[in-house]
Amino acid sequence: MTGTTKLEDTPTEATQVELGFEQHRTELTAYCYRMLGSAFEAEDAVQETLVRAWRSFDRFEGRSAVRSWLYRIASNVCFDMLKGRKRRAMPMDLMEVGSADAPVPQTTSESMWVGPVPDGRVISVPGEDPAVEAEMRESVRLAFVAALQHLPPRQRAVLILREVLKWKANEVAELLDTTVVSVNSALQRARSTLADRNVTARTVSDTTDAEQRELLDRYVDAFERFDIDSLVKLLHEDATMSMPPFPMWLSGSDEFGAFMLGPGSACRDSRLAPITVNGAPGFAQWKANPGGGYHAWAIHALQVSSGRITGIDFFVDESLFPLFDLPIDLPIDRHA
């Protein structure tokens, strides 16, 4: 009789094991998201991790904690998924800065791009220390996750486990079936790569909560009224804008304004709803339908510093809306 059959034949034990696995789902999703750069792939990886864990539970000898064992399986799942494929990136990583006057390029495959993730899928800290919660949010920022994709998979895993999750070198060595010397060497190389890209897992916000709320309220008001002059005033003069899966990005508030008055004018009369995305403020955008109502268009991920918006990544993909527990269509104008 196999372990799987035994669990199926004893519902109480099976439930206990399943619950033991499920309590780690959020942190495993965060780990796999950092590794893979895609919320959808992260969820697939975690599901595969739990399936493998369930099937091999009879061989789990208890020499390590269940959590460590699940991370070992998740790491191997991610390594398998990353074999032979190109890394995900943001438009800034792949091409020169564009111009608002240039034609908007054709969309490319979703698999090229680092995607957004809802905070609720990767951050689970009810009653947690605010400092710990802040660190968790910083560790899923888009800039950090995009930078991680520049690392080879095993370096990526080492850096996440050591720098983000605070595992000891010997624990990481055991998980990855390697030596402490190899772990320390991989961590040093990974740190050097991120330093060259001027990226860290932790930054300190210099915008207060009250300032940020006011800024976001003004953003919604200006965007929904399509008051581009007011919208541009909220941006830092060097603010960047990208729009995956369109292979383009812009730099400068004036370029952003020119784009919005050109191709971006299709966003006139849109409706926004606040969300949290990658540990930062964001919005879901529904564009107006000619026949009435609104249809899912984009997820806005904002970067804020010194009371100004320093970057906006517009993820144009309606399939993201269910991920954020949002409807595809808004049939009624809630402003009417």
Side-chain angles (χ1 to χ4, degrees):
M1 179 180 293
T2 66
T4 300
T5 304
K6 180 182 178 182
L7 291 176
E8 290 172 347
D9 288 345
T10 45
T12 300
E13 184 177 356
T15 301
Q16 290 174 346
V17 172
E18 183 176 358
L19 290 174
F21 291 169
E22 284 294 327
Q23 69 178 317
H24 300 293
R25 181 181 287 273
T26 300
E27 64 173 306
L28 288 172
T29 302
Y31 176 64
C32 293
Y33 173 69
R34 297 181 190 105
M35 287 290 294
L36 301 169
S38 163
F40 296 116
E41 289 190 351
E43 292 201 336
D44 289 345
V46 171
Q47 193 59 36
E48 175 64 18
T49 295
L50 299 183
V51 168
R52 291 188 189 183
W54 182 273
R55 289 174 176 169
S56 61
F57 188 72
D58 60 320
R59 299 192 298 276
F60 176 57
E61 299 175 352
R63 288 181 296 182
S64 63
V66 168
R67 178 173 179 260
S68 301
W69 182 59
L70 290 173
Y71 268 92
R72 173 193 286 267
I73 298 171
S75 297
N76 289 330
V77 169
C78 289
F79 293 154
D80 289 345
M81 292 176 69
L82 289 167
K83 282 179 182 176
R85 79 166 205 194
K86 293 183 178 180
R87 66 177 176 86
R88 287 178 178 267
M90 293 297 287
M92 296 80 162
D93 298 323
L94 300 180
M95 57 206 61
E96 297 296 325
V97 63
S99 168
D101 298 329
V104 177
Q106 294 293 313
T107 60
T108 55
S109 170
E110 179 276 336
S111 64
M112 286 184 61
W113 310 110
V114 171
V117 68
D119 281 13
R121 304 276 178 151
V122 292
I123 298 174
S124 178
V125 286
E128 186 66 81
D129 183 325
V132 174
E133 180 179 352
E135 286 190 3
M136 291 182 68
R137 294 186 186 282
E138 294 300 335
S139 73
V140 292
R141 297 285 194 191
L142 276 166
F144 181 62
V145 173
L148 287 174
Q149 309 311 301
H150 288 267
L151 303 175
R154 293 184 74 84
Q155 282 187 32
R156 201 178 306 175
V158 166
L159 187 130
I160 295 167
L161 292 166
R162 292 282 284 120
E163 296 280 272
V164 177
L165 301 179
K166 307 299 186 184
W167 288 38
K168 296 177 181 178
N170 63 307
E171 295 172 330
V172 177
E174 181 179 355
L175 182 144
L176 298 179
D177 288 325
T178 187
T179 64
V180 170
V181 171
S182 295
V183 166
N184 289 335
S185 176
L187 179 60
Q188 184 177 5
R189 293 195 301 273
R191 284 173 172 168
S192 177
T193 299
L194 293 196
D196 288 344
R197 304 190 64 80
N198 195 30
V199 173
T200 176
R202 299 176 187 84
T203 60
V204 178
S205 174
D206 52 5
T207 301
T208 67
D209 289 344
E211 288 174 332
Q212 180 164 289
R213 283 195 298 270
E214 180 185 4
L215 179 66
L216 299 178
D217 287 344
R218 293 168 63 193
Y219 179 85
V220 173
D221 177 65
F223 201 100
E224 292 193 335
R225 290 189 297 107
F226 212 70
D227 181 349
I228 303 305
D229 287 341
S230 294
L231 196 57
V232 167
K233 290 177 183 177
L234 304 179
L235 273 60
H236 189 277
E237 62 180 9
D238 294 328
T240 60
M241 183 273 277
S242 73
M243 203 167 62
F246 295 92
M248 58 168 287
W249 69 284
L250 303 175
S251 179
S253 55
D254 290 343
E255 282 289 301
F256 174 81
F259 179 85
M260 292 302 293
L261 291 172
S265 61
C267 292
R268 189 182 299 274
D269 297 323
S270 289
R271 294 292 175 256
L272 302 184
I275 57 174
T276 52
V277 50
N278 288 81
F283 295 93
Q285 175 195 349
W286 291 264
K287 279 192 354 180
N289 277 329
Y294 304 86
H295 190 75
W297 176 247
I299 297 296
H300 302 195
L302 276 60
Q303 303 160 43
V304 176
S305 180
S306 301
R308 286 282 185 269
I309 296 170
T310 58
I312 310 175
D313 297 301
F314 299 98
F315 293 91
V316 183
D317 183 353
E318 68 177 49
S319 72
L320 292 168
F321 280 62
L323 187 69
F324 285 82
D325 298 320
L326 295 167
I328 297 296
D329 291 295
L330 296 180
I332 301 173
D333 188 346
R334 59 184 172 86
H335 290 254

